């Protein structure tokens, strides 16, 4: 099979603009940054056109370039407020009172409930993803960035620390809080097992 | 001495109770276990800690459930990042018309050079 040729770059914004924008928005959490990432991706792709080997589709080639651009962006951004916005949502050891004074779940209030069977079927439901997106949107942007890098993109914790210039212990705490929030939010709003 | 079935059950309950009590004292409380469960998703725990967490699960189905649910959320997001991005939703966010035009212009300019 002949390698796939690139299409006319003038058509890229119509063909891939939305796709790349959504990809960048999930990861950067900022519309203006996502737009910038799309533009930088297209311009870099234009320059690297000759190196497109046709091994992948045009879109996945562009996504590959965009991933590098997003990493570059994270590296470049100054870290004036490294953890402030994370602490804004959660302060203290157990701010939402999940545990009793001995450190155990409050059985009739906070203990994780049994989610309905067939979790695979859940993944096909639009409502599940809507709630997940909403819960993710409730996180401070910085926490959501860290969480997305780790949980969606499977970036190693060492790389995240290096990229965002944060300490490993800061990263563990951030991820723990993000996971705890998302689980509780899903339980309350999607599975509807307990009022929020 | 012959031990009847009633005594058997009672003895068993006592032993289970003693073991459970020992496990409650020996393993970290739930608020620590949830942190370790999260940490284990990012790097392996020291063997001793890992064993303590697993022993805790024997007496606490809630912490075990917590772990299963975190893993479920992770695998859902890794399998379907497109759904999280909203790629299948017509109403998902798109670049503004101005931004769209800027993209086209930037490409035109770059191509001319």
């Amino acid at each position: 099979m002949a390698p796939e040729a690139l299409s006319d770059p003038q058509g890229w914004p119509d063909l891939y603009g939305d796709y790349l924008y959504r990809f960048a928005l999930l990861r950067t959490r900022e519309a203006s940054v996502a737009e910038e990432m799309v533009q930088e991706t297209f311009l870099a792709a234009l320059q690297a056109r000759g190196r497109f080997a046709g091994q992948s589709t045009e879109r996945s080639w562009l996504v590959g370039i965009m991933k590098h651009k997003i990493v570059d962006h994270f590296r470049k951004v100054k870290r004036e407020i490294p953890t402030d916005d994370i602490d804004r949502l959660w302060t203290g050891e157990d701010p939402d009172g999940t545990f009793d004074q001995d450190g155990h779940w409050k059985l009739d209030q906070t203990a994780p409930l049994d989610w309905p069977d067939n979790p695979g079927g859940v993944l096909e439901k639009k409502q599940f993803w809507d709630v997940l997106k909403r819960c993710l949107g409730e996180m401070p942007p910085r926490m959501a960035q860290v969480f997305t890098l780790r949980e969606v993109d499977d970036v190693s914790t060492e790389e995240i620390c290096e990229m965002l210039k944060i300490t490993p212990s800061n990263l563990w705490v951030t991820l723990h809080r993000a996971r705890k929030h998302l689980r509780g939010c899903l339980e309350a709003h999607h599975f509807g097992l307990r009022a929020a | 001495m012959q031990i009847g079935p009633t005594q058997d059950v009672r003895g068993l309950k006592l032993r289970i109770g003693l073991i459970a009590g020992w496990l409650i004292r020996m393993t970290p409380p739930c608020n620590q276990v949830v942190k370790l469960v999260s940490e284990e998703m990012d790097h392996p725990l020291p063997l001793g800690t890992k064993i303590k967490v697993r022993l805790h699960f024997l007496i606490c189905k809630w912490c075990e459930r917590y772990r299963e649910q975190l893993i479920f959320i992770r695998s859902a997001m890794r399998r379907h990042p497109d759904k999280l991005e909203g790629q299948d939703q017509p109403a998902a966010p798109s670049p503004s018309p101005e931004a769209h035009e800027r993209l086209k212009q930037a490409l035109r300019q770059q191509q001319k050079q």
Side-chain angles (χ1 to χ4, degrees), chain A residues 29-94:
Chain A
R29 317 299 301 179
E30 245 185 285
S32 60
V33 176
E35 283 179 12
E36 194 187 314
M37 293 296 104
V38 179
Q39 178 158 333
E40 286 193 17
T41 300
F42 283 155
L43 296 181
L46 194 61
Q47 285 193 321
R49 238 175 344 164
R51 295 202 292 277
F52 178 68
Q55 303 293 330
S56 59
T57 65
E58 197 167 50
R59 191 177 78 182
S60 50
W61 179 67
L62 289 167
V63 167
I65 295 173
M66 175 166 258
K67 283 181 181 169
H68 288 288
K69 291 289 164 196
I70 292 174
V71 170
D72 288 347
H73 165 77
F74 281 138
R75 284 187 211 276
K76 268 190 285 185
V77 171
K78 277 192 185 167
R79 300 281 155 236
E80 292 114 2
I81 41 164
T83 57
D84 282 13
D85 76 358
I86 292 170
D87 291 340
R88 190 160 48 83
L89 196 59
W90 284 274
T91 47
E93 181 70 9
D94 179 26

Side-chain angles (χ1 to χ4, degrees), chain A residues 142-160:
Chain A
R142 185 112 169 101
M143 176 181 274
Q145 283 169 2
V146 168
F147 181 77
T148 311
L149 281 169
R150 179 73 196 122
E151 296 297 79
V152 181
D153 292 334
D154 196 9
V155 178
S156 74
T157 51
E158 292 81 7
E159 276 179 87
I160 297 174

Side-chain angles (χ1 to χ4, degrees), chain A residues 163-180:
Chain A
M163 198 191 300
L164 301 179
K165 299 176 190 69
I166 52 177
T167 61
S169 60
N170 195 324
L171 180 70
W172 310 136
V173 173
T174 305
L175 286 171
H176 159 59
R177 288 173 175 177
R179 287 167 179 147
K180 184 164 172 274

Side-chain angles (χ1 to χ4, degrees), chain A residues 84-150:
Chain A
D84 282 13
D85 76 358
I86 292 170
D87 291 340
R88 190 160 48 83
L89 196 59
W90 284 274
T91 47
E93 181 70 9
D94 179 26
D96 43 3
T98 308
F99 301 99
D100 64 20
Q101 55 186 6
D102 298 323
H104 296 294
W105 299 102
K106 295 175 184 167
L107 291 194
D108 51 348
Q109 295 169 39
T110 59
L113 296 169
D114 201 6
W115 289 0
D117 282 346
N118 184 20
V122 162
L123 302 184
E124 302 310 318
K125 290 189 181 144
K126 180 178 174 296
Q127 196 246 356
F128 172 79
W129 293 100
D130 286 346
V131 173
L132 194 54
K133 277 186 271 185
R134 203 176 84 207
C135 296
L136 196 56
E138 284 173 5
M139 289 184 200
R142 185 112 169 101
M143 176 181 274
Q145 283 169 2
V146 168
F147 181 77
T148 311
L149 281 169
R150 179 73 196 122

